[in-house]
Every structure is written in structure tokens, then in C-alpha cells.
Amino acid sequence: MNAASAADTHFGFRTVPLGEKQRMVDEVFHSVARRYDLMNDLMSMGLHRVWKDLLVSRIRPPRSARPFALLDVAGGTGDVSFRTVEAGGAGTRATVADINGGMLAVGRERAAGLGLADRVEFVEANAEELPFPDRSFDATSIAFGIRNVPRMDKALAEMRRVLKPGGRCFVLEFSRVDVPVLDAIYDTYSFKLIPGMGRMVTGDAESYQYLVESIRRFPPPEAFAEMMRAAGLKRVDYTPLTGGIVALHSGVRI
């Protein structure tokens, strides 16, 4: 068997050509877009709400009318952006950048229903080539999306580029469970139950099999912290949450 080339990457546990991963990821999220938020509730037993609230508390949008701009990358359905503008004052705005039009369509519908269409903008964009000027945002975030980007290093560099000096970049992502016994339970739950749950709720088990595998392929926290440093971010740190099921990473543009 030939070794993977530099032009290869991972799609779950499979090795695929780098240029093919984005198309394959797009197909996953087109398939699950309409039930994505419901599946997040079911898969995490509601914990994703707690994790996202913690992320927003770290973003710290001002409660005043002072202008504050968040860019949420791969945030298609708008969850983090809605929470941020609701936590902030009249000057807080958010931009959702996502490559998947199906996810963005769901996000726009949700924004209209929540009365937030004037405070949250939705832009179809590739995380590796963000269509925004340098130094445009006070904070950038990506929640459970960085592992789906073919070239994570490029996405991190872009998230840093569009930050204003002193702005913070946040990455909320699944991590490595570090609690004995919990790790075995988590593995069983992930591989045995989540794909079946996906089949029942969305009619698509394969997409959720990929999502579970992609979590296991994601670098451990310190290795990912090094990637953030290599992208030019400073004061990089991370906080394990819920026994290491997820980690909240952050860095600053100096």
C-alpha cells in the first residue's frame, strides 16, 4: 500500500486527496443541515449549549453601545453568533462565514425568527480564504468546525489576519477524554450509538460516522495549541471541558 502523499488528508479514518475533502464535507452538511441543531442537542445531551455559553462568556461582547464585531467561522446555523449578540449591547454585531449554503439558509431563517437579521450577517465563504479585510473584527471564533477544514493552518492564519490587534481568536472543538472509564464509555457512545441516532433523526448514518471519526483524528490539545502559535497567535492557551470531551482554545493577535 502506498504511503499518503503531502497532497492527501483525512476524511474521518479514510485518507483522501486534499482537493476532495471540502466537497465531501459539504455533502455531509448539506445532508444534515435541517436537523443539525436537533442532532447537536441529542448527541451532546444538551451540553453543547453549556460549552457555547462558556465560549460567549470568553468572547465577552460589551453590554454597551460600543461597536464590537465577531466573525464566527463555519457557524452556518448561527448558534454562536445569536448567543453573542444577545449577550452584548446594541453595538454588538456578528458575521457568520460558512462554505455551505444549506447551513447558511437555515441560519438566515433562524435569524429572521429570532428578530436578529439586522445584527447577524451570513456570508458564504471558505475558511481558508476569508473575504474580509485585515484587522476587521474584535474577535473570531469557530465552534466544532475547524476539524472539517482541509487545511487547518490556513484557516487559523486567516482568523488571525482579520483580527484587530488585541483581538482574540477562539476555537471550541472536541478533544481527548482524559478521565479513566469515561473514555471507554465515550468511545462506545460515539461509535455505537451516534451513527444510529443520525440514521433515525436525519436518515443519514454515514455522515455521523464521519463526524465521530473526525473527532478522533483531531490533534490533542497541546499539538493544536502549537498550530495556533505557528499561525502567529500569541498568549495561546486552552481549557479542557467535561473531562476533556471538548477544549476551548484561545490566542491573541498582538
Side-chain angles (χ1 to χ4, degrees):
M1 182 179 294
N2 294 331
S5 75
D8 289 337
T9 188
H10 296 287
F11 181 78
F13 290 160
R14 295 160 55 191
T15 299
V16 299
L18 185 61
E20 285 293 296
K21 178 170 179 174
Q22 189 61 66
R23 177 189 61 77
M24 297 169 78
V25 170
D26 285 350
E27 289 175 356
V28 167
F29 285 96
H30 276 300
S31 172
V32 303
R34 290 284 162 190
R35 297 295 183 93
Y36 180 73
D37 294 300
L38 172 61
M39 276 299 296
N40 280 346
D41 275 330
L42 293 174
M43 287 190 304
S44 71
M45 292 176 282
L47 280 171
H48 77 104
R49 298 172 180 269
V50 177
W51 299 328
K52 289 171 183 173
D53 284 343
L54 179 58
L55 167 60
V56 172
S57 75
R58 294 283 300 277
I59 292 171
R60 287 191 298 182
R63 295 184 178 273
S64 66
R66 177 168 66 85
F68 182 89
L70 168 73
L71 174 65
D72 187 38
V73 179
T77 61
D79 222 15
V80 170
S81 291
F82 300 150
R83 292 167 189 270
T84 300
V85 298
E86 288 173 338
T92 300
R93 297 288 186 274
T95 299
V96 177
D98 199 294
I99 201 169
N100 190 288
M103 297 286 281
L104 290 170
V106 174
R108 290 189 185 98
E109 290 174 10
R110 292 185 68 201
L114 292 168
L116 296 175
D118 60 335
R119 299 181 66 190
V120 180
E121 180 184 13
F122 293 83
V123 177
E124 190 164 339
N126 189 329
E128 297 177 7
E129 298 177 0
L130 295 172
F132 307 107
D134 293 1
R135 306 182 181 200
S136 301
F137 295 94
D138 298 285
T140 57
S141 62
I142 183 167
F144 307 116
I146 192 74
R147 72 185 190 281
N148 298 313
V149 177
R151 290 170 287 202
M152 292 188 289
D153 56 338
K154 287 185 174 292
L156 289 170
E158 282 288 273
M159 291 175 72
R160 177 198 174 276
R161 178 184 65 78
V162 301
L163 272 176
K164 298 174 183 178
R168 296 190 72 88
C169 171
F170 297 95
V171 179
L172 180 64
E173 189 52 88
F174 289 103
S175 190
R176 303 293 174 92
V177 176
D178 55 9
V179 177
V181 182
L182 177 60
D183 55 355
I185 294 172
Y186 181 56
D187 271 353
T188 300
Y189 175 72
S190 297
F191 286 100
K192 300 296 185 183
L193 297 182
I194 286 180
M197 193 184 302
R199 180 185 297 109
M200 287 189 293
V201 175
T202 70
D204 183 353
E206 289 186 6
S207 290
Y208 285 93
Q209 182 70 31
Y210 157 71
L211 291 172
V212 169
E213 292 176 1
S214 70
I215 291 168
R216 297 306 186 274
R217 297 292 321 192
F218 191 70
E222 187 52 45
F224 186 73
E226 281 301 316
M227 292 181 69
M228 293 184 71
R229 295 182 187 106
L233 292 159
K234 308 298 182 184
R235 302 178 195 164
V236 172
D237 64 13
Y238 60 89
T239 304
L241 305 173
T242 318
I245 292 176
V246 300
L248 177 54
H249 300 260
S250 68
V252 180
R253 175 171 185 171
I254 302 298

